[in-house]
Amino acid sequence: MSSAYPSPAGKKFYLFGYPIAHSAAPALHNHSFRHWPEGRESPNSYETWSTSKVTDEVLKALSSDDCGGAAVTMPIKAAIIPHLDEISPESLITGACNTIIKVPTSTGHRLVGQNTDILGVRNALLRALRSQFPDKEVSSEASYPPSIGAAGVIIGGGATTRSAAHALTLLGLSPLFLVNRDLAEARAVQTSLPQLTIIHLQNSEDAESHLGQPESPHILMIVGAIPSNPPVTRQERSVYSTASTILTMPYTKPKDFAGNLPVPQRRIFLEMAYKPRITPMLKVALAHGWHGLDGVQASVEQGLAQQRMWYLSDPTLRAGSDRSVFDVEMEISTRALGESMTDVIPAGVEVDRAHAQKAHL
């Protein structure tokens, strides 16, 4: 896939949010920028901008000719949206923007918001499938047909849950089953994504009723989107109990079908948390034979999606998933760097720059 525009060169890219001094993103993105085809001569740079608010200074920096684009994290992933020229359907659906792409126009540029967390989930799951079927070409846009009864599970209830739901839906998994101990939180997810069929599983009995019957859907993939802290309270233990009920169910594969998205040999469990890398929930999944992925893999995949979009000046999911944009060595080295990194220890006290600026509330 080629770009209709020249790739940004010698530009500044920012990470806006607070606190972010611990972020590994600068190391990963600056590594990737140096491996752009044009990057060796005029590399872009990626730096953090600590801010808890959308300020005039932030908006001025985004509009500057020196800026090539940006990443956005908490607490301004929703607050930034009204200040953009356009947002993607994915950002609209999930109510969050974590990536800003500057799309050139005849008079300057448009600031377009996208949510690449969705691609972090989808592309990590697709990579796992490709590793199970190394001789099969697996398209980034492939999905399961409704006829095979393939479904997915999400454990959680926040913003990451909504991104995961969208990602699993893109893969053709429906319905989706939501493991959550809080009825109000589960309903909030269902209400925010009315176009999806999301069934709440509040306990192990619900899981058995919906997933343990002969006619139940085939669960192929699970995304864990809860904190990595070991369960302490009764409600927290209930979530693990419900999840364990699902993880221990026998794997009944859907019938064979003619499609380019293979049914996994081992069901896939993606854990979004990554501190520690092997969380208590991921340990349970691995113990029961699931193909386990840790959150670093999803984080790196969403970063590569950002890189592709910035390179092409294209905010579409297709651009963010196009593996032909960069050479194989660049993506391999970026993934290897992400896998090998240890925690970033901030130097000194992180200062919230919004305290000195007028914020757009």
Side-chain angles (χ1 to χ4, degrees):
M1 183 176 182
S2 60
S3 174
Y5 312 106
S7 300
K11 301 291 187 181
K12 291 182 179 181
F13 290 76
Y14 298 101
L15 170 61
F16 297 114
Y18 182 82
I20 54 173
H22 62 282
S23 174
L28 288 170
H29 281 298
N30 284 318
H31 170 88
S32 297
F33 282 139
R34 289 192 295 272
H35 287 77
W36 279 21
E38 304 85 352
R40 295 173 180 84
E41 288 139 18
S42 184
N44 299 302
S45 64
Y46 185 98
E47 59 190 68
T48 58
W49 184 306
S50 298
T51 180
S52 60
K53 305 286 184 182
V54 180
T55 64
D56 288 330
E57 189 183 14
V58 166
L59 299 177
K60 183 178 179 180
L62 275 173
S63 297
S64 167
D65 290 339
D66 293 335
C67 177
V72 183
T73 189
M74 296 301 288
I76 59 172
K77 292 171 77 170
I80 192 67
I81 289 176
H83 305 286
L84 303 178
D85 299 308
E86 182 183 337
I87 61 170
S88 69
E90 294 76 30
S91 279
L92 180 63
I93 289 170
T94 58
C97 163
N98 77 333
T99 307
I100 299 172
I101 301 93
K102 295 187 80 168
V103 179
T105 67
S106 58
T107 57
H109 63 259
R110 289 181 296 122
L111 296 174
V112 182
Q114 178 57 280
N115 182 357
T116 55
D117 286 338
I118 294 167
L119 292 185
V121 174
R122 186 181 75 170
N123 292 351
L125 293 169
L126 286 172
R127 284 197 74 237
L129 269 181
R130 294 186 185 109
S131 74
Q132 293 188 17
F133 298 90
D135 297 327
K136 185 175 180 62
E137 178 61 31
V138 178
S139 167
S140 294
E141 298 179 14
S143 63
Y144 296 112
S147 59
I148 71 167
V153 172
I154 307 166
I155 307 168
T160 302
T161 293
R162 292 189 286 275
S163 295
H166 194 75
L168 294 178
T169 300
L170 290 174
L171 292 171
L173 300 178
S174 182
L176 301 177
F177 295 89
L178 178 63
V179 176
N180 190 298
R181 65 181 186 269
D182 189 288
L183 181 60
E185 196 171 80
R187 283 179 175 170
V189 173
Q190 292 168 321
T191 301
S192 69
L193 299 169
Q195 74 279 14
L196 306 184
T197 301
I198 300 176
I199 299 170
H200 181 207
L201 304 179
Q202 196 168 16
N203 50 49
S204 295
E205 290 72 23
D206 287 348
E208 288 287 357
S209 174
H210 286 283
L211 303 177
Q213 309 306 313
E215 68 280 4
S216 295
H218 305 276
I219 300 300
L220 304 187
M221 300 176 183
I222 297 178
V223 178
I226 60 174
S228 59
N229 304 327
V232 176
T233 69
R234 180 179 179 181
Q235 287 184 317
E236 290 169 348
R237 294 196 302 274
S238 174
V239 170
Y240 273 75
S241 176
T242 306
S244 295
T245 298
I246 300 169
L247 291 167
T248 56
M249 288 179 175
Y251 184 20
T252 57
K253 293 184 181 180
K255 294 180 180 179
D256 291 337
F257 69 101
N260 59 357
L261 190 60
V263 173
Q265 300 287 0
R266 295 166 58 207
R267 293 170 292 181
I268 304 171
F269 183 96
L270 169 59
E271 174 68 289
M272 295 301 288
Y274 52 85
K275 291 184 179 180
R277 293 286 288 271
I278 305 298
T279 66
M281 189 69 77
L282 184 53
K283 285 181 181 178
V284 176
L286 292 170
H288 292 291
W290 288 66
H291 183 154
L293 308 174
D294 63 53
V296 169
Q297 296 175 64
S299 180
V300 171
E301 292 308 316
Q302 77 85 21
L304 285 170
Q306 291 175 322
Q307 285 279 318
R308 298 182 190 112
M309 291 178 180
W310 289 332
Y311 182 83
L312 297 172
S313 298
D314 185 342
T316 63
L317 294 187
R318 182 181 180 188
S321 299
D322 187 350
R323 294 184 294 152
S324 71
V325 173
F326 300 119
D327 60 44
V328 174
E329 289 74 19
M330 179 272 211
E331 296 204 359
I332 289 175
S333 65
T334 299
R335 291 189 180 102
L337 177 61
E339 290 285 341
S340 66
M341 289 187 69
T342 55
D343 291 348
V344 175
I345 307 300
V349 178
E350 182 175 4
V351 177
D352 182 358
R353 293 172 64 168
H355 286 168
Q357 293 288 320
K358 180 179 179 181
H360 291 263
L361 301 177

